[in-house]
């Protein structure tokens, strides 16, 4: 297993470089980069904004509209001085060739130096750490709620396969999976957050404004009070696949020969189910927990963060993409990709821990 882990760790490097390269090329091709964004902001603005960037008192409005070859590649830059455009390019590092910028970026990322945001005047690491508590809250409690609901429900459906309970619960699961998460979130707001009916839960934020004045136990209650609607919305749209996976896994194990033999020996049904079947049936589900958590942590709550005004990593990534804030975009991409690759290795290790019969090294040879 050690040799397998070492090989997987070594594969992380070229995989990470490949993902970063593909995304870097795509972003360079896409129009509306940070230089264009800044030029668009400067068009028609007061002279002071121009003076602040150019560092001089020269009046841009009085300059001739001669557009150099340097500025012609930026649509809408004809009204700005070529020197100003050059300074904007230097400010964002676009005065260097594309391959040099990519090479420098990867060298910095190798030492976990992700630079500063173009538009937020903060380091990328500080931004990620600032937004992380919201995403951690949604990721941990959503994943926990999904597992606590899906596993018992899936086991019950397997034991009652073909019964009325199985049929109507499957209907509920299918309907929950069919309703988009953001629509269910809006419905919850209308029903329970002062939309049209009840005002039982807060509409926005992770905690109340007066959280610091509350006793510690009320702070905990306030925190979970704000999480009820977001977690419920995520749960309804996410528990279907895990429920059906649990059911099918249990059905597959229940019909195996060792279960039939155990029952024939007179072993109690509860011991057969939870002493033998459960461990084997839960192998794929438990081993996939790290990947499921990372997926929920980083990508599963963007719309929920927007609807409930939760300032987390999903919203940060969305806003940085709209603003073409390259350091935030590529910095978070690097962090999330690296974590995803490491989590994939952890999932494989968990397979072998839960079931020692699995040997990835033997399979590769």
């Amino acid at each position: 297993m050690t040799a397998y882990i070492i090989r997987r760790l070594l594969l992380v490097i070229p995989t990470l470089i490949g993902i970063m390269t593909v995304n870097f090329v795509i972003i360079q091709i896409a129009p509306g980069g940070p230089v264009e964004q800044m030029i668009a902001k400067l068009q028609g603005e007061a002279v002071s904004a121009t003076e602040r960037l150019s560092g001089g008192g020269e009046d841009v409005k009085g300059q001739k509209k001669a557009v150099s070859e340097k500025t012609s590649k930026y649509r809408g830059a004809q009204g700005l001085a070529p020197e100003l455009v050059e300074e904007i390019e230097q400010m964002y590092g676009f005065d260097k060739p594309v391959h040099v910028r990519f090479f420098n970026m990867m060298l910095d990322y190798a030492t976990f130096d992700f630079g500063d945001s173009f538009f937020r005047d903060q380091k990328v690491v500080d931004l990620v750490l600032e937004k992380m508590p919201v995403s951690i809250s949604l990721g941990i409690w959503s994943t926990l709620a999904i597992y606590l609901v899906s596993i018992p429900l899936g086991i019950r459906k397997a034991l009652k396969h073909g019964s009325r309970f199985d049929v109507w619960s499957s209907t509920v699961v299918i309907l929950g999976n069919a309703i988009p998460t953001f629509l269910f979130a809006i419905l919850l707001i209308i029903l329970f957050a002062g939309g049209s009916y009840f005002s039982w839960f807060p509409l926005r934020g992770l905690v109340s404004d007066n959280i610091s004045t509350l006793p510690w136990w009320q702070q905990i209650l306030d925190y979970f009070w704000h999480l009820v609607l977001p977690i419920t919305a995520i749960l309804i749209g996410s528990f279907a696949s895990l429920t059906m996976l649990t059911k099918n896994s249990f059905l597959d194990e229940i019909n195996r020969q060792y279960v039939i033999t155990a029952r024939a020996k007179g072993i109690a049904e509860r011991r057969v189910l939870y002493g033998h079947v459960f461990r084997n049936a839960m192998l794929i589900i438990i081993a996939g927990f790290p990947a499921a958590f990372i997926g929920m942590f980083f990508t599963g709550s963007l719309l929920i963060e927007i609807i409930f005004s939760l300032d987390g990593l999903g919203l940060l990534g969305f806003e940085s993409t709209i603003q073409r804030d390259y350091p935030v975009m590529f910095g978070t991409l690097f962090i999330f990709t690296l974590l995803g690759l490491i989590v994939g290795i952890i999932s494989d290790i968990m397979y072998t821990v839960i079931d020692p019969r699995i040997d990835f090294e033997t399979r590769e040879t």
Side-chain angles (χ1 to χ4, degrees):
M1 188 64 183
T2 303
Y4 171 78
I5 294 174
I6 293 175
R7 284 197 298 270
R8 286 292 302 272
L9 288 173
L10 292 176
L11 281 174
V12 166
I13 299 174
T15 304
L16 189 58
I17 293 175
I19 292 173
M20 295 298 296
T21 303
V22 171
N23 283 273
F24 186 86
V25 171
I26 293 174
I27 293 298
Q28 300 306 309
I29 296 173
V35 176
E36 291 92 332
Q37 296 257 354
M38 181 56 70
I39 289 173
K41 289 181 179 180
L42 290 176
Q43 292 297 320
E45 289 186 358
V47 180
S48 60
T50 304
E51 290 175 353
R52 183 174 64 250
L53 280 171
S54 61
E58 190 175 8
D59 187 2
V60 175
K61 291 183 179 179
Q63 292 182 4
K64 296 180 181 180
K65 289 188 176 181
V67 181
S68 68
E69 203 176 280
K70 185 81 173 173
T71 62
S72 61
K73 64 180 178 179
Y74 296 112
R75 195 186 328 181
Q78 286 79 1
L80 297 178
E83 296 80 7
L84 177 58
V85 177
E86 290 180 3
E87 187 168 349
I88 295 174
E89 286 185 328
Q90 292 175 4
M91 182 171 63
Y92 293 128
F94 278 73
D95 56 327
K96 301 180 180 66
V98 174
H99 66 280
V100 174
R101 284 190 279 121
F102 177 76
F103 184 73
N104 291 338
M105 181 185 73
M106 293 306 296
L107 282 180
D108 291 337
Y109 286 5
T111 59
F112 296 96
D113 179 11
F114 302 106
D116 299 330
S117 169
F118 283 162
F119 303 105
R120 294 174 181 259
D121 195 26
Q122 281 184 271
K123 291 186 177 296
V124 173
V125 174
D126 293 339
L127 274 172
V128 171
L129 293 177
E130 179 185 325
K131 311 298 182 184
M132 193 169 286
V134 173
S135 295
I136 288 178
S137 296
L138 290 177
I140 289 178
W141 300 117
S142 297
T143 306
L144 184 61
I146 291 169
Y147 270 73
L148 289 177
V149 171
S150 299
I151 292 179
L153 180 60
I155 294 174
R156 184 71 175 173
K157 285 174 64 61
L159 298 179
K160 300 291 184 180
H161 180 62
S163 65
R164 290 184 179 180
F165 172 81
D166 184 35
V167 172
W168 71 256
S169 60
S170 294
T171 303
V172 173
V173 168
I174 293 172
L175 288 176
N177 191 48
I179 300 175
T181 301
F182 73 93
L183 285 182
F184 196 80
I186 294 172
L187 177 63
L188 290 176
I189 290 174
I190 294 173
L191 292 177
F192 303 112
S196 299
Y197 297 92
F198 306 101
S199 186
W200 293 347
F201 298 98
L203 180 59
R204 57 173 54 88
L206 195 60
V207 292
S208 299
D209 294 335
N210 64 335
I211 186 71
S212 60
T213 63
L214 300 176
W216 66 268
W217 59 273
Q218 288 187 3
Q219 292 183 8
I220 296 175
L221 291 177
D222 180 82
Y223 168 73
F224 284 106
W225 182 48
H226 281 74
L227 282 174
V228 169
L229 295 188
I231 298 303
T232 303
I234 295 175
L235 171 64
I236 294 299
S238 305
F239 81 108
S241 58
L242 184 59
T243 299
M244 300 310 297
L245 178 63
T246 303
K247 175 191 174 181
N248 294 332
S249 181
F250 252 78
L251 282 176
D252 183 59
E253 290 296 324
I254 287 173
N255 295 323
R256 291 186 180 275
Q257 185 61 44
Y258 76 89
V259 177
I260 298 174
T261 303
R263 285 171 172 169
K265 290 182 177 181
I267 300 176
E269 185 70 11
R270 186 177 184 84
R271 184 180 175 187
V272 171
L273 290 177
Y274 296 101
H276 300 280
V277 175
F278 183 83
R279 178 175 179 176
N280 294 327
M282 288 295 101
L283 171 63
I284 189 172
I285 297 168
I286 296 175
F289 177 82
F293 172 69
I294 291 295
M296 183 66 66
F297 180 46
F298 292 124
T299 61
S301 57
L302 170 59
L303 291 175
I304 296 298
E305 289 182 10
I306 294 174
I307 292 172
F308 290 98
S309 300
L310 300 172
D311 195 8
L313 291 174
L315 191 57
L316 173 66
F318 174 76
E319 291 177 347
S320 63
T321 302
I322 296 298
Q323 296 175 343
R324 300 295 194 273
D325 196 343
Y326 288 173
V328 178
M329 290 173 59
F330 290 118
T332 53
L333 175 66
F334 183 91
I335 295 171
F336 299 165
T337 303
L338 180 60
L339 284 176
L341 294 172
I342 298 298
V343 165
I345 300 175
I346 294 175
S347 296
D348 289 347
I349 296 174
M350 288 191 66
Y351 275 113
T352 61
V353 170
I354 296 173
D355 190 349
R357 296 172 298 176
I358 296 178
D359 189 352
F360 290 103
E361 255 182 281
T362 304
R363 290 190 178 188
E364 289 194 349
T365 58

